[in-house]
Amino acid sequence: VHQGVFGLSYAFFKGKLKLNFELFFNSRPYNDDNFLKATFLYENMVSSGLSNPYQGDSSFFASAGRIITRYPFLLELSLAYNITDLVVCNLFSMIDLKGESLFLQPSITYEISDSIQWITALNFYGFLGEEEISEFTGAKTEFYSYVKIYF
C-alpha cells in the first residue's frame, strides 16, 4: 500500500492570509481492497464489543497507520486569515472528486494566551452525487467548540 501527499502553501500580505493546496493519493482505497473491507468490518465489531478479537489481542488492528479512503484521490484546499494577532479565521475543505462530495470546516481560533487557544468550528458535508457512494457517506453537520492547552 502506498499513500502520499503533494502540497503547496503560500502566504500573502506579510503572512496574514495563508493558502494551502494538497492532493492525497491512496494506492489501495477501501473500494478496491476486499481484505481491508473485511478487516475493517471485523475491527469495528471488536471495538463495539459485538465480536471477540482473534487470539485475544484487541490492541492489534490491521488498518492501524493507514488513512482509509473510499477512492484513490482527495483534494484539500484551505485558507487562514489573521483578523488580529489573537483571532484567526480558517476555512478547510476536502473534495472527493469521484464520489462528488465535499467537506467544509469553517472555524475561528482565539488565542487566549501563548499556551491556550479557544477554537469554534462547524463541520459541513455536501453531496453533489449519490450520498451512498461518496467519501463522506453518513456524515452529519456538527458544531463544536473546545479549548486547546499546550504544555
Side-chain angles (χ1 to χ4, degrees):
V1 175
H2 302 288
Q3 296 181 332
V5 175
F6 171 78
L8 298 170
S9 296
Y10 196 78
F12 300 91
F13 309 114
K14 298 181 182 176
K16 285 188 72 130
L17 175 65
K18 299 170 197 87
L19 297 174
N20 189 48
F21 162 83
E22 290 182 348
L23 180 63
F24 175 76
F25 171 72
N26 183 2
S27 69
R28 298 240 348 234
Y30 182 84
N31 282 345
D32 298 342
D33 190 339
N34 289 329
F35 173 74
L36 180 61
K37 282 182 184 180
T39 302
F40 194 61
L41 177 63
Y42 162 72
E43 291 171 2
N44 284 331
M45 290 179 68
V46 170
S47 295
S48 62
L50 298 174
S51 179
N52 292 321
Y54 297 136
Q55 301 173 349
D57 182 5
S58 61
S59 65
F60 174 74
F61 291 96
S63 63
R66 285 181 66 179
I67 298 173
I68 299 172
T69 61
R70 196 177 285 255
Y71 300 109
F73 292 99
L74 287 175
L75 181 67
E76 180 262 316
L77 301 167
S78 62
L79 66 96
Y81 183 73
N82 293 20
I83 296 174
T84 69
D85 289 342
L86 300 177
V87 179
V88 179
C89 285
N90 302 286
L91 179 62
F92 176 85
S93 65
M94 193 174 294
I95 302 162
D96 161 28
L97 299 170
K98 186 156 182 158
E100 299 178 335
S101 61
L102 171 72
F103 166 68
L104 285 175
Q105 182 190 62
S107 66
I108 295 175
T109 301
Y110 176 67
E111 297 278 341
I112 295 171
S113 72
D114 287 344
S115 60
I116 302 173
Q117 292 180 333
W118 178 23
I119 297 121
T120 301
L122 175 72
N123 290 350
F124 173 77
Y125 303 88
F127 306 98
L128 301 173
E130 298 177 43
E131 182 179 350
E132 295 78 33
I133 64 166
S134 78
E135 190 70 47
F136 309 111
T137 298
K140 303 292 183 214
T141 299
E142 303 170 301
F143 173 79
Y144 57 96
S145 187
Y146 64 96
V147 174
K148 188 187 293 186
I149 301 173
Y150 298 93
F151 293 80

